Amino acid sequence: MEFRNLIGGEWTMGDDTRPNVNPSDVSDIVGQAAQAGLTDLDQAIAAASGAAPAWSASTPQQRFDVLDFIGTEILARKDELGRLLSREEGKTLPEGIGEAARAGQIFKFFAGEALRISGDVLASVRPGVGIDVTRSPVGVVGLITPWNFPIAIPAWKIAPALAFGNAVVLKPAELVPGCAHALAEIIARSGLPAGVFNLVLGPGSILGPGLVADDRVKAISFTGSVPTGRGIAADCGRHLKKLQLEMGGKNPMVVLDDADLDLAVEASLNGAFFSTGQRCTASSRLIVTEGIHDRFVAALSDRMAALNVGHALETGVQMGPVVDERQLAQNLEYIDIARKEGGMVTGGARLERKTQGFFMAPALVTETTADMRINREEVFGPVANVMRVKTYEDALAAANDTAFGLSSGICTTSLKHATHFKAHAEAGMVMVNLPTAGVDYHVPFGGTKGSSFGAREQGRYAAEFYTTVKTGYTLA
Ligand code: NAD
């Protein structure tokens, strides 16, 4: 299978290619991916710039039809697309199918949003003058996406970009060209004029800066790691380019003495280990008050140890492999550091399975303190740390004691504490009696502090980033 670039309506492969390896079985090559260079990128940006004016003038009905087509096809093919996703990224098949379905729902949602683009009409402070505030497309937008949600994250950037009349150049992560290619293939048949959507596959270190530095690209939406995001922000600052960043997390899950123990364990298990912990919203810090601490740790350790880790496509597997060798080595190194810093580690060993893949047992690190690296830095794997605290106030302070601010959770039966936590958790998303990961697609997604920068993604709020506001004054 070949995963190609889509530039101005043409599929291009080029000479340079990179194998797409299945992390559950390295002998399984999913396909060969094109490796675009700066010339390809230049052509993609030129195609988007050429196509942008006509698409910006398209009617809401045209945009609805395109997005609805894409959403309908993704939903109809969610099993097949989910299988491709699980094969190249390593989340379990049910998770892969769920993510593919989510991508379809996102396109459907933004099909509707294309019909609902609105503005404001206000009276002026001057007699006889009327004011209208309208939204225009930004122009060409550059979308840079990570590997951990290879179809949903491109979808939640592409769909609003197109719905609000922008042209797109998508640069997905190197590890997951298959899903991006499959999505592009559907978009190419949707009735969208050639050049409005372009896909370039290749190294982020070359294509990313190229996209950011090009003056024809008016805005960058990036999801990925903090160091990459910071570099992009500095470059966008120099070019005065509109920017939206979604980055890492070190999300706390507070468990209070009055919590429903089963529910707290279930929410923590899901938040910490599902999708192999490779979620920016993963619950990586479990902050537990002392009255429930030992029961919680015992129950969670049992449930964690019972998780079936294996080939992502195998029936009954609950946790797939880590995405690649580099990420696996990083996870194991963090576990080692935690042990050296005084943490008690359960699980966390590399695992052998029938196929050669990047398997590891999920890990729980107990008796941790706030200053340990494992509590301050994002691991991005199936590793959760437990911190013991005395009171709710201590728990809230520990939850907020981080450079990140994406998602924050609490398990409690106390309305008082739940309400207080929702108001005072320093995070963009707050969950009560729910895992920190797992969100709806029709409401804003994003964080505070070092996790996010710029306007929110998803739901109605996506309009902020993908449009420019214009204020009109008319003397009648
Ligand atoms: P990454 O930063 O390594 O790569 C992200 C994207 O940036 C890739 O497409 C990559 O090719 C590209 N890139 C690399 N170097 C670049 C450069 N110099 N300029 C521009 N682009 C460049 O991140 P990753 O490893 O793919 O993803 C994991 C990270 O993503 C984690 O930190 C995770 O928390 C974060 N993430 C955040 C969210 C969120 O919404 N907050 C969602 C998912 C993942």
Side-chain angles (χ1 to χ4, degrees), residues 55 58-74 107-108 110-112 114 158-159 162-163 186-193 196-197:
W55 183 247
S58 59
T59 63
Q61 186 65 51
Q62 281 172 293
R63 299 181 197 173
F64 174 93
D65 289 344
V66 163
L67 292 165
D68 189 57
F69 175 98
I70 301 166
T72 302
E73 178 156 339
I74 293 173
F107 275 99
K108 290 277 189 182
F110 282 105
I158 297 166
L162 298 179
I186 295 170
I187 295 171
R189 287 187 286 99
S190 66
L192 189 72
V196 178
F197 172 82

Side-chain angles (χ1 to χ4, degrees), residues 342-363:
M344 304 272 292
V345 179
T346 311
R350 186 165 188 160
L351 298 174
E352 299 291 324
R353 289 293 180 263
K354 283 196 296 280
T355 50
Q356 202 194 327
F358 310 117
F359 303 107
M360 71 173 276

Side-chain angles (χ1 to χ4, degrees), residues 145 147-148 171 174 204 223-225 228 246-248 280 378 445:
T145 53
W147 49 262
N148 67 324
K171 209 307 284 170
E174 293 88 316
T223 301
S225 62
T228 313
E246 290 298 344
M247 300 173 289
C280 49
E378 184 183 46
F445 178 96

